[in-house]
Every structure is written in C-alpha cells, then in structure tokens.
Amino acid sequence: MKNVCFYFKIHQPYRLKRYRFFDIGNDHYYYDDFADDEIITRLAESSYMPMCDTILDMIRETNGAFKCAISVSGTALEQLQVYVPECVEKLHQLAATGCVEFLAGTYAHSLASLEDPEEFMREVKAENELIFRTLGIHPRTFANTELIYDDDIAMLISGMGFDTCLTAGAKHVLGWKSPNYVYNAATAPQLKLLLTNDKLSDDISRNFNNPEWPEYPLTADKYMDWIAALPAEEQVVNLYFSMDTFGSFLPASTGIFLFMKALPRFAAERNITFAMPSEVSSKLKPVDELSVPYPMSDIDEARDVSAWKGNDLQREALGKLYSVAERVSLCDDRKIKQDWEYLQSSDHFYYMSTKNMADGASHAAFSPYDSPFAAFTNYMNVLADFLVRVEEQYPESIDNEELNSLLLTIRNQAAEINSLNKEVKTLRANIINDDTLPVIEAEEVRPHSLVTDAPREAGEKAPKKRAARKSSAKTAQKKTQK
C-alpha cells in the first residue's frame, strides 16, 4: 500500500522599507508595514484560508482518511496573528482534527543552519515554542528553510531530538536511487529522511495550468494513476508545495481546489492512503543511508544553496550579519533581538541573487527591488544601522573570545552561588533537626567558606586552620577562573 504525504509551507518575511544611507543612525525602524499588511492579507484571503477550508473538507468527507503536514514560519505566524487572526483560527481547526501535523523549522526561515549552529538551534527552539503557544502542538518532524540539508545539519537536527526530517529529493544526491523510500542520515543513523518527489510536485505547481504541457489538463484520476503505477516496493510519495500555489499562483478559477478535493476518492479506488510524516516514519524502515556532504535545497534546478550564497553580494551580507551573532546572544535589548530575528530571513538574500540574469526571471519575480544590487544596497544600509546599535551594546574593542570568557565567568559565579545557597539550606536543616546542637539563629548560619572568625585582639595571629582554609579558597578560585 502506497502512502502519500502532502506538505504545505506558509512563510512570509518582514519586508524592509526603502532605507537610505542618510537614515543610518537616525531611523531604527526598518520594516514596510503597509506591504506586509497588504501581502499577508491578500494571500490569506486568496490562498491560505481557502486551502485550509479545502483541507478541512477533505478530512471531514473522508472521516479522517486524508492527512497532511503544514510548515508555518514564526514570522508568518506573527503577521497572521496581527493582520489576519481568522487565518490562525483556521490553523487551530486543522490542528484540532488530529489529521494535520505541524512541522518544526527555523523561526525566521533563516540560513542559520549554514552559518551558525548555535543560532540555528536557538531559532528552532523559538519556533517550536511559538507553535506550541499558538496551536498547542509539539512538532515532531523537522523541515529546514527551503529543505536545506547536509550531513552536518543532520547531526544538529538529531541532537535536538527530532527523529524525522523532510528534505529535497535532489537528483545529484540520489543518483539512481528513488526518492520514494525512507532513508536514514549517514552521520545520524537514528534520523529518518523523507525525500520530496520533485516531478510529481511540479506536475501540480508548475503544469496544472500550463496548456502547452503534453499532459494538460491534469485531472485527479490521472494523477492518482501515475502514483499507483510506481513500483510496488516504493511505499511513500512526498509532495511539497508552498501554500501560495493554491489560490494565488493557481487561482481558484483554474479548478485547483476542486482538483484537490477529488484526490481522496480516486486514491481510495487505487488503494492509496494519505499519511502524516511521523506516521510514515514510524511505519516504514529505512532502506539505505544517505550521505549529503554538501548542502542541498529545494530551490532552482541546481538544488543547492547558490540562490542565497551564489555571489559576493550575498556572501558579504551574510558574513556581516552573522559576525555579531555572539554579541546579539548576550544582548538584553528586546528590539535588537527582534531585528536580529527578522534580518535573518532568507528572502533578503534571495532578492540579491544574480542567477536570474542567466536563468530567467524566477528570482526577480519575487523581489520587491528593481535589481539584486538595489536589494543589496538597501539591506546593507539597514544592517549598517543595526551593527551600530549592537556596537553600542558590546564595542568591537572586546573580541568574541573576551565576551565568551566574561560569559563563562558569570556562569561559574552563578553556579557557585547556587552551590553555596544549597549548602546554607543543608546547614540550617541540620541545625534545626539536631537537638544536641545549641540553638543558633538561622541568619547567623552561613557556608563555611563565608563564615568569618570572631574578632581578635590587635596583633593576634590567625589560627593555622583559617590560613589553610584561605589557601584552599584561593586554589578553588584559580580553578574557577581557568
């Protein structure tokens, strides 16, 4: 029996307003609220909410037989809460069915997995917390930004406790292998990998409304015939889409929602079931391990990360941004923390891509800028102001090693204080419980390392025991500093 996993991604960044050189140092608000409001509202009305209603109908009409997964970035969920709260309610309804699995990811749909492992793990934690607060669900399956994945990232994902990861079924990685199996990561054998079937996904997202496509028009029974015709041993077909595809890129007038609603009926006739990724992971065993030494993604035909790191502009911007990651992590300024989150969105670097100059207008179609150079200039102006604000918190004269040393000292001192407090409680408890000891006021009981000797006459020598204790304390202090 074949399993079909549908994955729908919802992501929107906080778009930057036009920010000029002369704004640096004078204007610390970077975002185009009007554009964010207009875009998220339009997409929610034309795409997100109609698609959520379609999924709800498919679940109800099949008595829960239809199942799928949804990935929502933290920045998109924030905007939906502010501008279209009724869409968040739709997501609540989907979560309540038990037939929709919400995936873990990075909060700002960032490239942190490629640049800073600690920041990557912090972002994933923040995203998981937001999903739980908003929808009451703890994500079990991980899907990185645009399905970015390699062997090093696999170890980070596994280390965070995930046992299933969705990534791209890139041909240059798979070779002769099929994406329609469960694999396990070469560097983290306990992590199961679910790979997207790019061809079957593109048949809907790219060709559904393409009259020049040889298979046009695409119908639900034809589509399920193709899945049923796959070799019997290929047990899982993973189909990955941006939810914008349904209702926005493919308007309702194309019949895309009717097509989706018809799929479960034809699937049942062909003994094809729908499943959530965690179900597939628990039911099916990996057939082989998959090694991915270089990062791959779901973007462009190259299926690599050149969409974000393919030119000097992008690498310069990324390098400048993540050069202050450690300083921002030490910062207590809420606004700096928020800007740091929003400036990491991968979209900012995607707009700087020059690949569209050689490969068509795919990148330019999504950019609000006239050119990649305009995107770079605007972003760097914003980043320059942000870096000045971080500099005010932690000057560049203090290097990262010194910051880490200071942080380590603070942590050691906190640990020592906790240890001393525990010792105080123990001593107090012993004094209260031991009837043979004289009654001592609790305020006078202190850890032995803090107890002072009784006053001595001038010139009186300290007892040898006190001198030994003092020497021991110095030795312990040196170890703590090391």
Side-chain angles (χ1 to χ4, degrees):
M1 181 178 291
K2 285 186 172 57
N3 299 275
V4 175
C5 286
F6 272 98
Y7 302 84
F8 303 103
K9 177 192 71 177
I10 299 176
H11 165 64
Q12 291 299 322
Y14 281 91
R15 291 163 183 81
L16 302 177
K17 66 183 181 183
R18 291 295 189 267
Y19 194 90
R20 300 180 180 181
F21 175 80
F22 298 103
D23 293 325
I24 299 173
N26 299 313
D27 182 2
H28 301 322
Y29 191 78
Y30 311 134
Y31 312 105
D32 189 339
D33 294 334
F34 296 103
D36 289 339
D37 186 356
E38 188 275 327
I39 292 172
I40 197 76
T41 302
R42 172 169 48 83
L43 287 174
E45 292 176 351
S46 66
S47 179
Y48 301 157
M49 289 195 290
M51 192 56 191
C52 287
D53 286 334
T54 299
I55 295 172
L56 282 169
D57 289 343
M58 295 166 75
I59 293 171
R60 291 165 184 161
E61 290 171 4
T62 60
N63 294 320
F66 180 78
K67 300 176 181 180
C68 66
I70 295 178
S71 170
V72 189
S73 70
T75 53
L77 196 51
E78 279 186 13
Q79 292 180 58
L80 289 172
Q81 288 173 327
V82 172
Y83 300 117
V84 202
E86 57 270 33
C87 187
V88 179
E89 180 56 32
K90 296 286 186 185
L91 296 176
H92 264 292
Q93 293 175 24
L94 289 174
T97 65
C99 297
V100 178
E101 181 175 353
F102 284 83
L103 308 182
T106 54
Y107 193 95
H109 207 62
S110 76
L111 303 174
S113 60
L114 300 173
E115 301 295 325
D116 191 311
E118 289 188 9
E119 175 59 22
F120 172 61
M121 291 187 286
R122 185 205 64 79
E123 268 210 76
V124 174
K125 182 180 178 182
E127 166 78 351
N128 287 354
E129 290 174 351
L130 179 63
I131 293 293
F132 180 71
R133 287 198 310 271
T134 308
L135 304 174
I137 289 177
H138 288 293
R140 299 172 56 190
T141 301
F142 187 82
N144 198 10
T145 301
E146 303 300 346
L147 306 187
I148 293 173
Y149 174 88
D150 67 13
D151 289 339
D152 292 334
I153 295 173
M155 290 189 287
L156 295 174
I157 296 170
S158 179
M160 288 185 284
F162 297 104
D163 58 12
T164 308
C165 175
L166 175 68
T167 188
K171 292 180 181 178
H172 70 277
V173 172
L174 284 172
W176 57 269
K177 298 177 182 177
S178 168
N180 304 325
Y181 293 99
V182 177
Y183 294 87
N184 63 281
T187 52
Q190 66 274 27
L191 181 67
K192 293 183 179 180
L193 302 178
L194 303 179
L195 310 180
T196 59
N197 188 308
D198 294 338
K199 180 187 179 303
L200 287 171
S201 298
D202 288 347
D203 286 341
I204 294 177
S205 60
R206 294 190 179 186
N207 297 318
F208 184 82
N209 197 33
N210 178 15
E212 298 180 0
W213 183 44
E215 297 293 340
Y216 182 85
L218 180 62
T219 59
D221 58 338
K222 182 191 296 186
Y223 193 72
M224 282 301 159
D225 279 340
W226 293 344
I227 294 176
L230 293 171
E233 62 273 14
E234 296 186 5
Q235 294 183 317
V236 57
V237 178
N238 299 295
L239 304 171
Y240 182 70
F241 306 92
S242 172
M243 197 175 278
D244 304 5
T245 301
F246 304 88
S248 180
F249 300 122
L250 295 174
S253 58
T254 63
I256 186 61
F257 294 118
L258 296 175
F259 168 83
M260 290 298 297
K261 285 184 179 181
L263 289 176
R265 178 165 66 89
F266 292 105
E269 291 176 0
R270 291 155 180 78
N271 201 28
I272 295 172
T273 62
F274 298 94
M276 295 182 290
S278 58
E279 291 179 326
V280 172
S281 177
S282 62
K283 289 192 299 185
L284 302 180
K285 294 182 178 180
V287 298
D288 196 4
E289 71 175 24
L290 196 66
S291 177
V292 186
Y294 303 103
M296 65 177 179
S297 76
D298 191 53
I299 293 294
D300 298 338
E301 291 185 6
R303 293 294 190 264
D304 57 14
V305 295
S306 58
W308 307 280
K309 299 186 68 174
N311 62 43
D312 291 337
L313 304 178
Q314 295 166 310
R315 290 189 290 270
E316 171 71 11
L318 279 166
K320 286 286 187 183
L321 176 65
Y322 283 99
S323 68
V324 296
E326 288 182 279
R327 298 169 193 273
V328 174
S329 69
L330 297 174
C331 178
D332 294 325
D333 189 315
R334 185 189 63 82
K335 192 65 177 71
I336 286 181
K337 292 276 194 183
Q338 185 182 64
D339 291 336
W340 165 252
E341 198 84 76
Y342 298 166
L343 290 175
Q344 290 188 71
S345 290
S346 59
D347 309 70
H348 303 309
F349 309 99
Y350 187 80
Y351 301 149
M352 300 177 199
S353 176
T354 52
K355 291 182 70 174
N356 59 307
M357 295 181 176
D359 304 334
S362 59
H363 289 245
F366 299 97
S367 176
Y369 300 96
D370 295 332
S371 70
F373 308 102
F376 173 76
T377 301
N378 199 68
Y379 184 84
M380 294 306 285
N381 285 341
V382 169
L383 187 58
D385 183 80
F386 177 74
L387 294 178
V388 168
R389 292 163 57 204
V390 175
E391 164 77 7
E392 291 172 353
Q393 295 278 342
Y394 294 101
E396 289 185 1
S397 57
I398 305 176
D399 61 25
N400 287 335
E401 289 187 6
E402 288 182 83
L403 287 176
N404 287 334
S405 177
L406 290 171
L407 185 60
L408 180 61
T409 300
I410 292 170
R411 287 172 179 166
N412 287 339
Q413 288 175 345
E416 187 174 0
I417 290 171
N418 289 334
S419 176
L420 292 173
N421 285 335
K422 289 179 181 178
E423 192 170 352
V424 167
K425 291 180 181 178
T426 302
L427 288 171
R428 286 177 177 172
N430 290 340
I431 290 170
I432 293 171
N433 295 331
D434 195 338
D435 295 334
T436 63
L437 292 175
V439 177
I440 301 176
E441 293 295 328
E443 289 76 19
E444 296 179 2
V445 180
R446 298 185 180 92
H448 65 76
S449 60
L450 297 181
V451 174
T452 57
D453 291 336
R456 298 185 302 276
E457 297 295 331
E460 182 181 349
K461 293 183 180 179
K464 290 184 179 180
K465 185 179 288 187
R466 173 178 170 80
R469 188 166 64 243
K470 191 172 182 181
S471 174
S472 176
K474 284 186 177 180
T475 303
Q477 187 178 11
K478 288 182 181 178
K479 288 182 179 180
T480 302
Q481 291 174 347
K482 288 181 181 179

